[in-house]
Amino acid sequence: MAWSKNLDWSVFYSIPNGLRDCYLAKLGLEIEPPTKDYLDRLVKAHLCKIPFENLASTLWNEPVSIEPQRIMEKLLYKKRGGYCFELNGLFHLLLRSLGFDAWMCPCRQLRHHEPFPVPATHCAIIVNLDGKRLFCDVGYGGPIPHGSIEWETERIQTVDSQSFYFKEQPSGWFSLVKKGEEDMPLLQAARLNCHLSDFYGPNLLRSTGDSAYSEIHVSRLTSDGYVDLTGNKFVIKRGSIHQEKIVEGKELDSVLRDYFDIER
């Protein structure tokens, strides 16, 4: 009996033609040997250049495919962003094309109001480099490290003046915590080397299933802060300056275009 009735699973294991050069052009970077410094610059550039957005599910009622060619067309050829499975999915293929030993790993969000663990409907990236296991995430859409951090328990690591640490849970998962006046648990991650195809089901759950996005969320890092649209609340953070406004009606299109470079 064939594993799949209609889907060609082999597409999830191939790197689309031209992905590396097109991706690096989008990020404004050149080909370099695989080092942690280069990885950190790739992560930071991605967070600044390609926004997190869930508009396919919340605004435009579009199907979300995580087939590499489809993600490439959306993120690199169109003026669009994506969410975790698209962003981390394509980014880990870029890393592989550059010689990094990169894998995807399952995660669950912790910034929610449920009194129990939610399904693992997030993902991040593991990079094995120079005998160390590194963690990075370009698809969180919030306060995540702006580079890679070593996957070591209880060790505080600072990236761009923000500090984070992992805390191992009895379940075997690891909580990523942002350190501050009050520590903020961000997500739980499992040390599993996964393929993009492993997230086919979770992507369906997040795009059209019971856990599908219901509120608009668009976010992008900037050189001195960030811009974020959650629901109709638009936030601009530049250094110590924090501005908020309510976006209504046709103003939404101009905010998406001018601040996130998104056009349908």
Side-chain angles (χ1 to χ4, degrees):
M1 177 181 175
W3 173 251
S4 174
K5 296 181 177 67
N6 301 304
L7 190 63
D8 178 7
W9 289 96
S10 67
V11 300
F12 293 96
Y13 299 87
S14 61
I15 298 175
N17 292 332
L19 179 133
R20 184 192 64 186
D21 294 342
C22 185
Y23 218 138
L24 290 178
K26 179 89 171 181
L27 301 184
L29 296 173
E30 303 291 335
I31 299 173
E32 296 182 26
T35 64
K36 186 179 186 306
D37 175 71
Y38 185 36
L39 173 61
D40 291 345
R41 284 184 282 119
L42 287 164
V43 171
K44 181 73 172 286
H46 196 291
L47 293 171
C48 290
K49 297 287 187 179
I50 304 178
F52 173 97
E53 55 107 328
N54 61 11
L55 300 174
S57 299
T58 59
L59 186 62
W60 293 323
N61 193 31
E62 299 171 343
V64 177
S65 171
I66 59 169
E67 293 182 17
Q69 185 66 42
R70 297 281 296 278
I71 308 176
M72 180 179 174
E73 292 169 359
K74 181 180 179 183
L75 301 188
L76 304 185
Y77 297 155
K78 299 178 181 178
K79 293 193 174 213
R80 292 293 302 275
Y83 58 52
C84 61
F85 301 120
E86 300 169 283
L87 299 175
N88 283 320
L90 201 67
F91 188 62
H92 106 282
L93 292 178
L94 169 66
L95 296 180
R96 287 191 165 208
S97 75
L98 291 168
F100 288 96
D101 181 17
W103 300 82
M104 298 179 70
C105 67
C107 304
R108 62 167 51 93
Q109 294 273 7
L110 293 180
R111 295 173 65 209
H112 59 81
H113 303 295
E114 304 288 352
F116 45 81
V118 298
T121 53
H122 183 59
C123 66
I125 297 172
I126 294 172
V127 178
N128 300 303
L129 182 66
D130 297 332
K132 297 178 180 178
R133 181 187 283 112
L134 304 177
F135 173 95
C136 60
D137 186 347
V138 298
Y140 187 78
I144 205 73
H146 300 163
S148 64
I149 60 174
E150 293 183 32
W151 201 321
E152 294 186 5
T153 306
E154 305 292 350
R155 176 188 165 195
I156 298 173
Q157 302 176 65
T158 301
V159 181
D160 280 359
S161 75
Q162 298 184 88
S163 296
F164 304 85
Y165 64 91
F166 282 107
K167 183 175 182 179
E168 187 170 6
Q169 302 299 318
S171 63
W173 289 64
F174 294 80
S175 294
L176 177 63
V177 182
K178 183 175 185 285
K179 194 164 182 61
E181 292 184 5
E182 291 187 11
D183 287 2
M184 179 192 300
L186 301 176
L187 56 81
Q188 286 185 344
R191 283 180 173 173
L192 297 173
N193 290 349
C194 295
H195 298 283
L196 178 57
S197 60
D198 293 319
F199 298 94
Y200 182 85
N203 177 60
L204 291 178
L205 185 62
R206 205 70 176 108
S207 61
T208 61
D210 184 68
S211 296
Y213 287 103
S214 58
E215 182 177 56
I216 289 175
H217 186 199
V218 189
S219 183
R220 183 176 65 82
L221 192 68
T222 64
S223 60
D224 58 354
Y226 65 86
V227 286
D228 184 276
L229 177 66
T230 301
N232 64 353
K233 186 173 80 170
F234 179 48
V235 174
I236 302 175
K237 180 75 164 61
R238 292 195 180 102
S240 60
I241 300 174
H242 184 97
Q243 299 174 298
E244 293 186 11
K245 66 178 294 186
I246 299 300
V247 175
E248 297 179 324
K250 294 183 178 179
E251 189 179 14
L252 175 61
D253 290 340
S254 62
V255 167
L256 293 176
R257 181 185 64 249
D258 297 341
Y259 291 92
F260 301 99
D261 196 28
I262 292 176
E263 295 182 16
R264 191 178 185 186

